[in-house]
Amino acid sequence: EPQAMLLDLEARRDDTRYGTTAVPSADLFATLADGLLAFDGEADFADAGRMALRGETEPFADTLRYDADVLLTNLDAGAFAPPDSAGAAPLATRLNGTMRLTGRGTDPATMLLRLGGDFGESQVNDQASTSGSLIVRLTGGRLDGGASVRMPGGLVQADLTGTPFAETPAFTVRNGR
């Protein structure tokens, strides 16, 4: 009976790599009790920043439920993307902020998913920002969301809608300014 299982997991990794990105240390701790899997971990990506993760899920429930918080510190997302044809990273970032993911289900047509984020001083390529926020929802296969980024020269805002899992995916960006 999965609901009666009790399991503790501790995983540590030192001096490894993810592609070309150095990972001096990464730790993950998880506990499964009464059908609830709670986890937390962190990773040091050297020059590509740090990430910490904490959350929980009910892996044996009839409908999977999940909830996770992520803390980003000077994270270079470009360090994890495949290089372009010249071998260079497609972008360089320094992301600082928090993200929260909550959801139920795994079938894109019926799942409920919410991703929110708040960012402090960050940078994407040569563009610095002083703050930003993001919210994206997926309900019944339809994606809705918005983002705002405050930069030294002003505020940029955009709304996004789409059907990412349709036979022909479609997206619309509005209010980009």
Side-chain angles (χ1 to χ4, degrees):
E1 175 71 25
Q3 297 293 338
M5 290 175 47
L6 178 60
L7 176 70
D8 284 316
L9 169 74
E10 180 177 323
R12 295 179 183 266
R13 189 71 194 227
D14 293 321
D15 297 319
T16 189
R17 301 192 80 67
Y18 180 85
T20 59
T21 302
V23 184
S25 66
D27 301 314
L28 176 66
F29 305 94
T31 299
L32 176 65
D34 298 322
L36 181 69
L37 177 65
F39 55 88
D40 83 52
E42 62 181 84
D44 175 2
F45 302 113
D47 293 338
R50 298 182 62 83
M51 181 171 58
L53 170 72
R54 171 171 284 160
E56 61 184 33
T57 182
E58 292 177 297
F60 304 112
D62 291 338
T63 301
L64 180 68
R65 181 190 66 78
Y66 36 92
D67 187 358
D69 294 299
V70 179
L71 173 66
L72 308 174
T73 307
N74 288 322
L75 188 73
D76 182 4
F80 305 99
D84 63 19
S85 59
L91 77 152
T93 69
R94 288 289 169 218
L95 301 176
N96 293 289
T98 59
M99 298 182 73
R100 181 167 185 80
L101 173 72
T102 59
R104 287 178 26 110
T106 57
D107 180 352
T110 59
M111 72 189 297
L112 301 173
L113 183 70
R114 182 180 186 277
L115 174 66
D118 290 302
F119 298 89
E121 289 187 14
S122 296
Q123 186 165 338
V124 176
N125 292 333
D126 294 329
Q127 184 61 60
S129 66
T130 56
S131 65
S133 65
L134 164 75
I135 182 125
V136 177
R137 292 169 299 278
L138 178 67
T139 306
R142 181 167 179 76
L143 184 72
D144 292 291
S148 65
V149 178
R150 185 162 302 281
M151 298 177 289
L155 178 68
V156 175
Q157 295 178 304
D159 296 319
L160 170 70
T161 59
T163 51
F165 302 105
E167 187 173 323
T168 304
F171 298 93
T172 302
V173 177
R174 293 186 312 272
N175 299 329
R177 53 182 179 211

